[in-house]
Amino acid sequence: MVQAAFVKVAEVGELSPGHMKAVEVGEDQVLLANVGGTIYACSNACTHAFAPLSEGDLYGELVECPSHGSVFDVTTGEVIDAPAQENLPVFEVRIDGRDILVGPATT
């Protein structure tokens, strides 16, 4: 069985609750979001117009795209409000000591 590669992208202290950060994992642009002390990772590109979600606003677990106002749940990647119609890919996150590690997309 092949183990999926996890990559260190940040440290826990860099991302306080309610904040987001854009990182790269290979060729993927990934959005890290701290929701109530839990780190989630999803695509940083809106599925409607490919705008960087890290430049939008985070309200709890919901991120609003800065371009056209699409809203996504960062914990599941689900579209909550249009104009986007396609869910975001989400990535597996592990915490190793102080390191935030991101693995391959799970959806």
Side-chain angles (χ1 to χ4, degrees):
M1 183 169 146
V2 176
Q3 281 279 350
F6 278 77
V7 178
K8 177 183 175 182
V9 294
E11 293 188 3
V12 174
E14 296 176 44
L15 202 60
S16 56
H19 289 85
M20 304 180 292
K21 177 179 181 151
V23 298
E24 288 186 20
V25 178
E27 296 181 9
D28 293 313
Q29 297 294 316
V30 175
L31 175 70
L32 296 179
N34 186 328
V35 178
T38 301
I39 308 295
Y40 295 93
C42 61
S43 174
N44 190 37
C46 176
T47 58
H48 169 251
F50 307 106
L53 295 173
S54 58
E55 295 178 11
D57 294 310
L58 183 66
Y59 305 100
E61 70 277 356
L62 303 180
V63 62
E64 181 178 9
C65 176
S67 289
H68 300 109
S70 294
V71 177
F72 300 90
D73 184 325
V74 298
T75 69
T76 64
E78 182 182 358
V79 175
I80 302 300
D81 199 8
Q85 296 185 16
E86 186 178 331
N87 293 341
L88 296 170
V90 294
F91 297 81
E92 191 173 347
V93 176
R94 291 183 184 166
I95 305 299
D96 183 13
R98 307 257 338 123
D99 297 338
I100 300 171
L101 309 173
V102 173
T106 59
T107 60

